[in-house]
Amino acid sequence: MAYSDEDINWAHDRADGHCFYCGIRLSFKNYGIVGAHAAWEIDHFIPLSRGGPDQPYNWVPACVDCNTRKSDLFPWEFDPLRFEEDDRDPDNYV
Ligand SMILES: [Zn+2]
């Protein structure tokens, strides 16, 4: 999936340059360069495969490690401690 520079900037700034999940500082210039230091990708908060839209409001920045491990999980399946039971309805996010 190809994103514009504007999209990449938007996603990066959304979590102030940190991975949305583990919080490490990302290397902006290493966007999409798997294996590079602090490389990152645009994660679909609600996975595309589970009904999430490919729209900016569903994008968060994630380091490659988190994005790979999250894969097609809902965020509360990936990081259950962060989401209260009441916050686990995908319809609240899309
Ligand atoms: Zn991470």
Side-chain angles (χ1 to χ4, degrees):
M1 203 167 304
Y3 293 101
S4 69
D5 288 348
E6 186 183 359
D7 293 340
I8 293 167
N9 273 312
W10 192 90
H12 178 266
D13 290 352
R14 195 166 191 199
D16 195 27
H18 293 79
C19 174
F20 180 81
Y21 298 102
C22 72
I24 68 159
R25 175 162 278 289
L26 303 170
S27 170
F28 181 77
K29 68 179 171 56
N30 286 342
Y31 172 79
I33 306 175
V34 174
H37 174 70
W40 64 288
E41 297 169 330
I42 292 176
D43 172 58
H44 292 85
F45 186 77
I46 304 299
L48 292 174
S49 64
R50 299 174 78 175
D54 194 16
Q55 295 292 328
Y57 64 82
N58 192 36
W59 298 342
V60 294
C63 72
V64 171
D65 183 50
C66 285
N67 200 25
T68 301
R69 289 187 296 118
K70 180 172 174 284
S71 187
D72 289 336
L73 298 174
F74 284 128
W76 41 89
E77 293 171 335
F78 178 63
D79 189 4
L81 296 179
R82 189 165 171 181
F83 296 89
E84 303 286 345
E85 295 284 344
D86 291 352
D87 293 332
R88 298 182 184 185
D89 181 351
D91 290 342
N92 292 341
Y93 296 95
V94 296

